[in-house]
Amino acid sequence: QVQLVESGGGAVQAGGSLRLSCAASGRIFSVYVMGWFRQVPGKDREFVAAVSWSAHNEHYADSVRGRFTVSGDNAKKTVDLQMNSLKPEDTGVYYCASRSMGSSGSHYSPDGYDGWGQGTQVTVSA
């Protein structure tokens, strides 16, 4: 089992920046993609960004491309999400997720991930 711990959430005004971090531990030898998702009450968890630890391929939701940057450190087993030019619609609980070898489903979908952190709140005020 993979344990994921997020940090770095908080409150910021629109236009500001935050950096989220996620540290992975446990059975991480089979993990090859790390992702970030967010969720607001009453809505489904949505994809934000993902990165492969070995190839460093990055993927972004259209809503955050150009503003957010995801980066992974395979040696440290961490993944960060740098969020710039934040908007009120970026508000939500942000979850770190891990995808292991053999996982089915798209890496753009929560179903494609088998490990989840506890979530960290991000609040952007207008």
Side-chain angles (χ1 to χ4, degrees):
Q1 191 173 0
V2 177
Q3 289 81 45
L4 303 174
V5 178
E6 303 102 334
S7 60
V12 66
Q13 290 188 328
S17 299
L18 284 173
R19 187 176 184 89
L20 306 182
S21 295
C22 175
S25 61
R27 297 175 62 86
I28 57 177
F29 56 89
S30 63
V31 172
Y32 73 108
V33 173
M34 296 292 294
W36 287 96
F37 288 76
R38 64 188 181 192
Q39 190 169 24
V40 296
K43 291 190 175 181
D44 293 335
R45 194 167 294 188
E46 67 169 351
F47 173 78
V48 174
V51 63
S52 61
W53 261 339
S54 59
H56 301 285
N57 292 324
E58 300 171 18
H59 304 272
Y60 297 96
D62 289 343
S63 59
V64 306
R65 187 175 289 110
R67 300 187 297 121
F68 290 12
T69 302
V70 63
S71 58
D73 188 323
N74 195 9
K76 296 181 180 179
K77 304 304 180 189
T78 59
V79 59
D80 293 341
L81 184 67
Q82 177 66 42
M83 305 184 294
N84 298 328
S85 302
L86 283 160
K87 304 175 181 180
E89 50 264 43
D90 294 319
T91 294
V93 178
Y94 282 69
Y95 295 91
C96 175
S98 62
R99 177 180 172 95
S100 301
M101 294 288 186
S103 295
S104 59
S106 168
H107 62 261
Y108 292 104
S109 168
D111 293 339
Y113 294 79
D114 47 13
W116 292 90
Q118 80 286 354
T120 184
Q121 177 70 43
V122 171
T123 302
V124 184
S125 57

